[in-house]
Amino acid sequence: MHGMETTLSKDERLRRLNQVFTPSAPVARRDLFAGRLEQVFDITSAIAEPGKHIVIYGERGVGKTSLANVLHELVAPIMGISVQPAKINCSTVDKFTSLWTKVCRQLKLEIPESWTYGSPDPDEIRVMLAGIKPPAVIIMDEFDRIEDDDTLSLMADTLKALSDHAVPTKLVIVGVADSIDQLVGEHESVQRAIAEVAMPRMTEADMTSIIDNGLPVLEMGIESQARTQIGRLAEGLPHYVHLLTQKATLRAIQDDRTTITTGDVEDAISVAVAKHSLAKEYQTAIQSPRPDNLFARVLTSCALAEKNRLGGFTSRAVRDPLSRIMGRVYEIPAFAPHLKAFTDADRGSVLKREGTPRRYTYRFRNPLLQPFAVLTALSEGLIPEEMRKELLEE
């Protein structure tokens, strides 16, 4: 055995591994939730304020659902009592009635017979929630999937009614959006009723804290450089911290070692891209009958391009990484058709284009594809050694 002393058997560490590092599922336990101190402070401050409810919004994959999952544990000390958690997932077919029917089932409340024939009004919901003891924290996840405008308006009115009457039960809305208006609409009446909690991508310190929180449960450690590699390659998305750490740790456990090395991380990169659910989406984007095509390299350069706070990048920002990958200067006209192609349906519309000609900005439609493109390029040797060292060395 090499590395830390451990009292755990190999089987026990393997069992714990899939509970601690969960790339396919949001974190469900407070003790395994890492970072996000600013967002946690914003939420707990709002919970303590009578009449305030919460809207959590941000890119897909930044950890919104994980935060929502541990909310009831965060707010119980502030509210001074244990609270009833009720979490529902919204869908494209949901209407106002179906949302609150789901909530009633979660809280084991009787569903009024009148809802069979018509929709409840916001004040009826307010009265129902005011009677809940102890108060509840109701989380509506994937709120961005709701397509019915009337439902969005009624939800805004409900938030206002709950706020005006300082109902102790708290409503938390969670969804993919760049701004609060995208999620709940431009309803002025609701602005003072809600606390906006934007979830940006995680900092490198927050991401490595996921590793630091999880490995002691396995009685394992990690080399400093390996830890840095994972934090850097994850690009602020906790999914990749969990994925790369899980695969690297598995290799170490299989080799009867208790310290994860850079070699384990290198192996984890190859394993992760080979079996990832995004592999098909990536292949659709780069497919070409010509072996000398640029699609994979241009997509990698998009992933490496300097970005604004919303993940947007310009064609000019793609030029430098592509030139470095190709070993010679590539001007924008040489790859502009590739950027356009990535916005088309036959390549999966992997990029979203915004703005006007000569001022276009692009961003990955699925943020998780950005790190995946870099990991695949590393695995397949598309990135030159100098750039590789910048990505993988401290």
Side-chain angles (χ1 to χ4, degrees), residues 259-277:
T259 300
I260 298 160
T261 67
T262 55
D264 295 324
V265 176
E266 293 265 2
D267 183 70
I269 291 170
S270 298
V271 173
V273 299
K275 298 182 178 181
H276 203 284
S277 59

Side-chain angles (χ1 to χ4, degrees), residues 114-129:
S114 61
W115 292 11
T116 306
Y117 310 103
S119 176
D121 64 46
D123 203 57
E124 184 180 347
I125 298 298
R126 188 265 304 174
V127 171
M128 178 183 75
L129 296 185

Side-chain angles (χ1 to χ4, degrees), residues 223-243:
E223 291 179 352
S224 173
Q225 187 173 332
R227 180 177 176 271
T228 299
Q229 286 176 350
I230 293 173
R232 190 174 294 165
L233 291 170
E235 286 283 345
L237 300 173
H239 164 78
Y240 285 102
V241 181
H242 283 265
L243 179 63

Side-chain angles (χ1 to χ4, degrees), residues 84-140:
Q84 301 183 64
K87 181 171 177 287
I88 66 167
N89 290 327
C90 305
S91 74
T92 55
V93 298
D94 269 322
K95 300 291 191 294
F96 190 68
T97 304
S98 62
L99 290 175
W100 288 105
T101 298
K102 290 179 184 179
V103 170
C104 286
R105 287 174 179 153
Q106 284 286 308
L107 294 173
K108 296 181 170 54
L109 299 175
E110 184 177 349
I111 300 168
E113 188 176 344
S114 61
W115 292 11
T116 306
Y117 310 103
S119 176
D121 64 46
D123 203 57
E124 184 180 347
I125 298 298
R126 188 265 304 174
V127 171
M128 178 183 75
L129 296 185
I132 296 176
K133 293 188 174 44
V137 174
I138 299 168
I139 300 161
M140 294 188 173

